[in-house]
Structures are given as structure tokens and as C-alpha cells.
Amino acid sequence: MNRRFALAIAVVALLALSAGCLTYINDGGDVANETLDAEPPQEYDFATERDAEINLSTGTQYTAVYNVSGVEEVRFYRQTPYAGDQPFEFEAFRYQYPDGEVVNGTEFRARGGEVERTPDETWVRFGDEMEGGRMAISASGSPRRFTTLTYVEGSYAVTLPPGFSTEFPIVGHVSPRDHEIETVDGRDRITWDSVTSGSVVVQSYRETDLLVFGVILAIAAVAAVVGTAYFRRQLQELRERRRQMGLGVYEDDEE
């Protein structure tokens, strides 16, 4: 029995080690130039004064522009409850020099920059001649539940798609709380003066969704009233049957 148990442990350990090696082989290494050079879903806002400018859309992707002045490298990752840190995947990489010149991922690498993925994260490292610039990426995300880690410290801005809002507290939520909301070109723009750790969370809704939400609440309320009335009627019929059978009704039944 002991030998079988030891053999089973050895097999499990071997499988775990093999899985780890395969994960490193599959997930490690450079991100393909085709991925980095892809066209972004919308034009990047390099003119922003924020350290992180995030633009959400009604589609499946959002854009983000980061101020990487004074930063030698940025670690992109996402946190999972069971598998630990995982690499954050993005595409349409662009780097803007202080003079306004914008290069794609291929040219970024040719000038000394690096974009490398490991089993735990995706690293972006800047070359010696890349001081004071901005970096832009495109990634998957939904405006209804958007979350991003604080990859770059400083001031943040998240712009919602047209027709979306966070005002209704039940279906709308913004974190951190020390934020301001303004309307720019018909779109809500949420800003923070300083975000230094943790994550930014924006849960928004389309304003027309409130009608659907109200209808659902109304149906639920009607169902609750009907269900309560039906239960009381059944209980009353049961009491009447007990009286007819001569069993009587206890005080607890009357409460």
C-alpha cells in the first residue's frame, strides 16, 4: 500500500511538472509582431493629460493610453482566484515619442524595446532612447463590467460609450470612490486625480436598460403578491378542513 501511495504521488508530481513546463513553452516568449501591429478599434488619444486614459466602447474591445515617462518597464497581468497571476493579453501596441512620432510594435522592438510574455505576465520594457513617451494598447473588455489593475500610477480617466451611465446605484458602480464624473461630447467621463494601487472598476448600464430593469422588478413584485395570496388561501383551506374533521385549530395556527 505504501509503495502504491508513493508511486501515485510521484506520478502526480511528474504530471504537475510537465504541465508547468508546457505552460511555460506555450505562454512564454515574445508576442507576435502581427498581434502588436494590428489596427486599433479606434484612434488612440495620445493628447490626454491623464496618466491613464481608457476609452470604452459598445463592442468587445477598449483602448488605453498610458504615460510611461520615468518608467523602465510595465508588468501587465490579471489576477485569478485559483490559478494565480496570468498574463494580460493585448494587441495594437503603439508607442509615442515626446516629439509626437508614433511607432508600432515591430518598430518599437527594432529600436530597443521589448514585449515579452511569460506564464505569469506580459512585460513591456523600454529602450534607452524611449524616455518621456506614451504607450497605447487595445484589449478585450465590456463597459457593463470593466476592471483594470493599476499598471501605471497617477491620474486616471475612463470614458463610457454613448448612452451609458453609472448614476443608478443598484446597477451602476465606480471604484475607487474618490472620483468625479463629467459629460464630454455626450459621454460620461469618470476621472481620478490619483490611483496608486489596487484596481479601477466601472460597472455601467445603458440608460434604456433601466426600463427593462423596472419591468423585471414589477413582474417580481406581482409574482410575490400573487404567491403570498395563494399561500394564505391554501393555509385558510387547510384550517377549515381541520375544523371539519374535528381536529381543532391551535393558537399557533391563528398567528
Side-chain angles (χ1 to χ4, degrees):
M1 180 64 68
N2 291 337
R3 291 182 178 179
R4 292 180 179 178
F5 183 71
L7 180 61
I9 293 178
V11 171
V12 171
L14 180 61
L15 290 175
L17 180 60
S18 300
C21 292
L22 289 176
T23 300
Y24 186 84
I25 293 174
N26 292 334
D27 293 341
D30 290 339
V31 181
N33 283 342
E34 292 78 4
T35 300
L36 299 179
D37 296 346
E39 289 298 320
Q42 54 189 317
E43 186 178 356
Y44 289 133
D45 183 14
F46 284 111
T48 178
E49 296 180 355
R50 295 280 167 173
D51 294 307
E53 182 75 37
I54 299 170
N55 197 338
L56 305 182
S57 70
T58 55
T60 59
Q61 288 186 308
Y62 70 92
T63 61
V65 177
Y66 296 101
N67 178 9
V68 291
S69 177
V71 178
E72 296 182 356
E73 59 185 15
V74 179
R75 177 180 181 243
F76 287 99
Y77 65 100
R78 57 186 180 88
Q79 297 173 327
T80 60
Y82 303 109
D85 292 347
Q86 298 291 314
F88 178 78
E89 298 182 2
F90 56 81
E91 60 183 30
F93 177 90
R94 298 292 186 274
Y95 180 81
Q96 184 193 54
Y97 285 88
D99 62 1
E101 181 185 6
V102 178
V103 298
N104 60 17
T106 299
E107 188 64 21
F108 177 78
R109 284 171 165 165
R111 299 187 183 188
E114 298 179 7
V115 182
E116 180 184 10
R117 180 175 299 154
T118 75
D120 301 322
E121 65 269 303
T122 301
W123 287 99
V124 176
R125 298 183 175 91
F126 306 99
D128 296 335
E129 305 299 326
M130 295 180 180
E131 173 63 28
R134 292 183 179 274
M135 172 186 64
I137 61 172
S138 174
S140 298
S142 169
R144 298 185 186 275
R145 179 66 181 180
F146 173 77
T147 302
T148 180
L149 295 175
T150 306
Y151 298 120
V152 174
E153 297 182 356
S155 59
Y156 271 65
V158 175
T159 301
L160 301 179
F164 277 75
S165 177
T166 59
E167 292 183 0
F168 199 67
I170 297 179
V171 291
H173 173 72
V174 177
S175 177
R177 294 185 177 182
D178 54 339
H179 63 275
E180 295 183 359
I181 301 178
E182 59 181 343
T183 301
V184 179
D185 296 332
R187 302 172 63 183
D188 282 359
R189 187 168 186 259
I190 309 167
T191 58
W192 296 263
D193 290 335
S194 179
V195 180
T196 58
S197 63
S199 60
V200 170
V201 179
V202 175
Q203 181 174 308
S204 65
Y205 59 89
R206 197 188 298 269
E207 294 176 352
T208 54
D209 293 344
L210 290 180
L211 177 60
V212 177
F213 186 68
V215 171
I216 293 175
L217 286 180
I219 293 175
V222 171
V225 171
V226 172
T228 301
Y230 177 79
F231 174 77
R232 293 178 66 88
R233 180 180 177 182
Q234 293 293 103
L235 183 60
Q236 186 63 34
E237 291 179 357
L238 178 60
R239 289 172 178 170
E240 186 63 28
R241 290 177 185 175
R242 293 178 63 179
R243 290 192 183 96
Q244 294 176 359
M245 296 176 63
L247 297 177
V249 178
Y250 297 102
E251 293 182 358
D252 291 343
D253 295 334
E254 297 291 345
E255 294 179 359

